[in-house]
Amino acid sequence: MADTAGTRRPGRRLEHPRAGEIRVDAVLHALADPVRLRIVRDLADGHEDMACIAFALPVSKSTSTHHFRVLREAGIIRQYYEGTSRMSRLRTEDLETRMPGLLGAVLNAALLAEREDAAAVPAPSDGER
Amino acid sequence: MADTAGTRRPGRRLEHPRAGEIRVDAVLHALADPVRLRIVRDLADGHEDMACIAFALPVSKSTSTHHFRVLREAGIIRQYYEGTSRMSRLRTEDLETRMPGLLGAVLNAALLAEREDAAAVPAPSDGER
DNA sequence: CAACTCATACGATAATCATCGTATTACGAT
DNA sequence: ATCGTAATACGATGATTATCGTATGAGTTG
């Protein structure tokens, strides 16, 4: 296979906005969807690089692809190919530069809301007393 | 005018979510629209109480009403009647409790983006030298 | 009461978007 | 080369939404 041996040759070019092109509207819109917010939370939750398949999303694969693209085009994640898989990682630094504190505030708010929901509905399979 | 003299008698009941009912998704979605973000920025920009008419929005009046309702139902603003006018104010404290730092981060990011745009296009009617 | 003003409600419309299924591409392994 | 896997592209579809114009309601002032 000649020159494809150990080098990184992306089969398809993935379009990313440059850091300076990240728009507030697009970021907020991207984060406003529950599925995409879930993806971002999972990424922030320690799994820095994950294949799309690794997310247990309640949608079909094509829909999943769509959501990853929205996140990528908004400048929230960076994606690259690793074999047939596509890895995603948060563009934490770029976001922090353009919108200081925004991502952290959103993640924290989502966490607070989740805790509150858990407290309100005490997990029937594990009811506390 | 009987009992309407100095008392507050709202002509129409305005529905507001309670602080605990404010949802992250709804807030992000509400802020993702440029017209609504403009409203929120104006409100945050010192004008704590403004009538809807006081905003110079690039949309019709009915559309304006629609956007104010979205903001209100998301829990971002509180509205009350003052005569025939309707006043709006940010629910800063409620938002800060539910989503600490979020509103501030969004406002700051919008400000940064605006400054950058202004720098990129040096205002032809007022070109600096 | 009548006129005026601010805002709403009610459709209507066009655009955006989330979702899906299926066919296809890219890559790795057999 | 053939197969399998991961993901995309391509429509298609239904839901949501941003927008508007017009008619209506509520309040103030003549």
Side-chain angles (χ1 to χ4, degrees):
Chain A
M1 317 198 154
D3 59 343
T4 77
T7 65
R8 181 73 53 80
R9 193 193 55 173
R12 191 176 295 268
R13 189 60 61 181
L14 290 173
E15 295 292 329
H16 291 83
R18 277 164 298 184
E21 294 170 344
I22 301 180
R23 318 231 323 120
V24 186
D25 288 7
V27 169
L28 291 176
H29 172 253
L31 295 176
D33 183 275
V35 175
R36 292 193 289 261
L37 184 54
R38 159 79 64 95
I39 293 172
V40 171
R41 294 184 65 194
D42 284 351
L43 280 174
D45 215 20
H47 325 85
E48 256 302 286
D49 290 70
M50 286 177 73
C52 294
I53 194 72
F55 296 83
L57 299 175
V59 293
S60 79
K61 198 151 61 170
S62 14
T63 303
S64 176
T65 296
H66 162 71
H67 286 307
F68 276 97
R69 176 162 59 170
V70 172
L71 287 171
R72 186 184 73 241
E73 291 180 346
I76 296 177
I77 64 175
R78 187 173 293 282
Q79 296 188 293
Y80 58 95
Y81 282 95
E82 189 93 17
T84 72
S85 294
R86 196 159 66 166
M87 298 302 187
S88 301
R89 86 160 29 187
L90 282 177
R91 296 179 64 175
T92 316
E93 291 188 12
D94 291 338
L95 288 171
E96 196 59 22
T97 302
R98 292 279 291 179
M99 316 175 187
L102 180 58
L103 183 61
V106 171
L107 292 174
N108 182 247
L111 186 64
L112 288 178
E114 189 182 62
R115 281 186 188 150
E116 188 175 87
D117 286 353
V121 182
S125 62
D126 180 31
E128 88 289 4
R129 70 192 131 90
Chain B
M1 11 186 128
D3 60 342
T4 77
T7 66
R8 184 71 54 78
R9 192 191 57 172
R12 189 176 297 267
R13 190 59 61 181
L14 291 172
E15 295 293 330
H16 291 83
R18 277 165 296 185
E21 294 170 345
I22 301 180
R23 318 234 320 120
V24 187
D25 288 7
V27 169
L28 291 176
H29 171 253
L31 295 176
D33 182 275
V35 175
R36 292 194 288 261
L37 184 55
R38 161 78 64 94
I39 294 172
V40 171
R41 294 185 64 196
D42 284 349
L43 281 174
D45 213 21
H47 324 87
E48 254 302 287
D49 289 70
M50 286 178 73
C52 294
I53 194 72
F55 296 83
L57 300 176
V59 293
S60 78
K61 199 151 58 171
S62 13
T63 304
S64 175
T65 295
H66 162 70
H67 285 307
F68 276 97
R69 176 162 59 171
V70 172
L71 287 171
R72 186 183 71 242
E73 292 180 345
I76 296 177
I77 64 175
R78 188 173 292 281
Q79 296 188 294
Y80 58 94
Y81 280 97
E82 188 93 17
T84 73
S85 295
R86 196 160 65 166
M87 298 300 187
S88 300
R89 87 159 29 187
L90 282 177
R91 297 179 63 175
T92 317
E93 292 188 11
D94 290 338
L95 287 172
E96 196 58 23
T97 302
R98 292 279 290 180
M99 314 173 188
L102 179 59
L103 183 60
V106 171
L107 292 173
N108 182 248
L111 186 63
L112 288 178
E114 189 183 61
R115 281 187 188 150
E116 188 174 88
D117 286 352
V121 182
S125 62
D126 180 32
E128 86 289 5
R129 72 196 131 86

